[in-house]
Structures are given as structure tokens and as C-alpha cells.
């Protein structure tokens, strides 16, 4: 099993940047493909980005392409989400998730494709 703890959320003005971190404990993060999702009240949790176990494959939601970057530091057992050019509509609770080894397919974009979740970190973007 793996435990995930997100940090780095906060309040930022539109156009600003934040870097979210997801620290993994238990098993090493490199055992898992790692994803980021977000959720606003009253809506379903939605896919943001994913990084494969090997780190050589990424996927992003269309609404963050070119603005967000997912990366990992295996030495620190941590996954990051660098968020630039933030918009008010990016306001949400952001969750990281770990996916047990399986084919890297379309299910990486679904919450059902993940086995472990962090508690979330709030990101608020003011206009």
C-alpha cells in the first residue's frame, strides 16, 4: 500500500503559479502511475494529469495543456504538479492518486483507474 499527502495549495491571483506536491510513503511512488484530479463542490472529480510509472509518458486534460506540468522526483518519493497561468476556473480541491501496475490506457483518465488517494489540497484562484 501507499499513503499520499498533498501540499502546496493556497490562494493565488489569476495568471499566477503554484506547485503542488504529493509525498508518497509506504511503497515507493515509482511503483505506481501517479495522477492528479480536481473537484469543486457539486461536481464530479475530474482528471487533470497523469504520469506513467516509468515517467516517460504523460497525459493531460485539454483544459490544462500548456499550463500544467506533472513530474516526479523518485529520490524524494514525490510527484509534482506545476500550475502556471492559473485561471479562476482552476479553483478546486486537488487530489493526487496512485494507480497500481496495469496497462497505461484510457482508464488513467478515470477515478476508477486509481487505487489510492490523498486527502486533497485547496487551490483558490482570484480574479
Amino acid at each position: 500500500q501507499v499513503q499520499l499527502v498533498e501540499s502546496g495549495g493556497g490562494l493565488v491571483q489569476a495568471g499566477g503559479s503554484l506547485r503542488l506536491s504529493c509525498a508518497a510513503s509506504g511503497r515507493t511512488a515509482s511503483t505506481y502511475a501517479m495522477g492528479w484530479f480536481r473537484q469543486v463542490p457539486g461536481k464530479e472529480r475530474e482528471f487533470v494529469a497523469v504520469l506513467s510509472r516509468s515517467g516517460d509518458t504523460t497525459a493531460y486534460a485539454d483544459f490544462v495543456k500548456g499550463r500544467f506540468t506533472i513530474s516526479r522526483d523518485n529520490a524524494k518519493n514525490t510527484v509534482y504538479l506545476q500550475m502556471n497561468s492559473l485561471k479562476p476556473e482552476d479553483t478546486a480541491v486537488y487530489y493526487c492518486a496512485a494507480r497500481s501496475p496495469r496497462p497505461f490506457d484510457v482508464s488513467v483518465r478515470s477515478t476508477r483507474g486509481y487505487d489510492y488517494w490523498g486527502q486533497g489540497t485547496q487551490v483558490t484562484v482570484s480574479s
Side-chain angles (χ1 to χ4, degrees), residues 31-115:
T31 302
Y32 304 91
M34 298 296 294
W36 285 96
F37 287 74
R38 69 186 189 185
Q39 189 171 24
V40 298
K43 292 190 175 182
E44 292 187 353
R45 196 168 296 187
E46 65 179 355
F47 170 75
V48 174
V50 62
L51 179 65
S52 64
R53 292 174 59 201
S54 63
D56 61 0
T57 303
T58 59
Y60 294 92
D62 287 344
F63 54 77
V64 302
K65 280 183 180 177
R67 300 190 298 127
F68 292 10
T69 303
I70 187 171
S71 62
R72 72 197 310 160
D73 183 336
N74 287 337
K76 295 183 178 180
N77 224 18
T78 300
V79 176
Y80 303 99
L81 185 68
Q82 178 66 44
M83 306 187 296
N84 299 327
S85 302
L86 283 162
K87 305 175 182 180
E89 52 264 44
D90 293 318
T91 295
V93 177
Y94 283 72
Y95 298 88
C96 75
R99 172 184 171 92
S100 297
R102 69 188 82 166
F104 194 86
D105 57 21
V106 295
S107 66
V108 300
R109 295 176 177 266
S110 168
T111 56
R112 292 186 295 274
Y114 294 82
D115 304 288

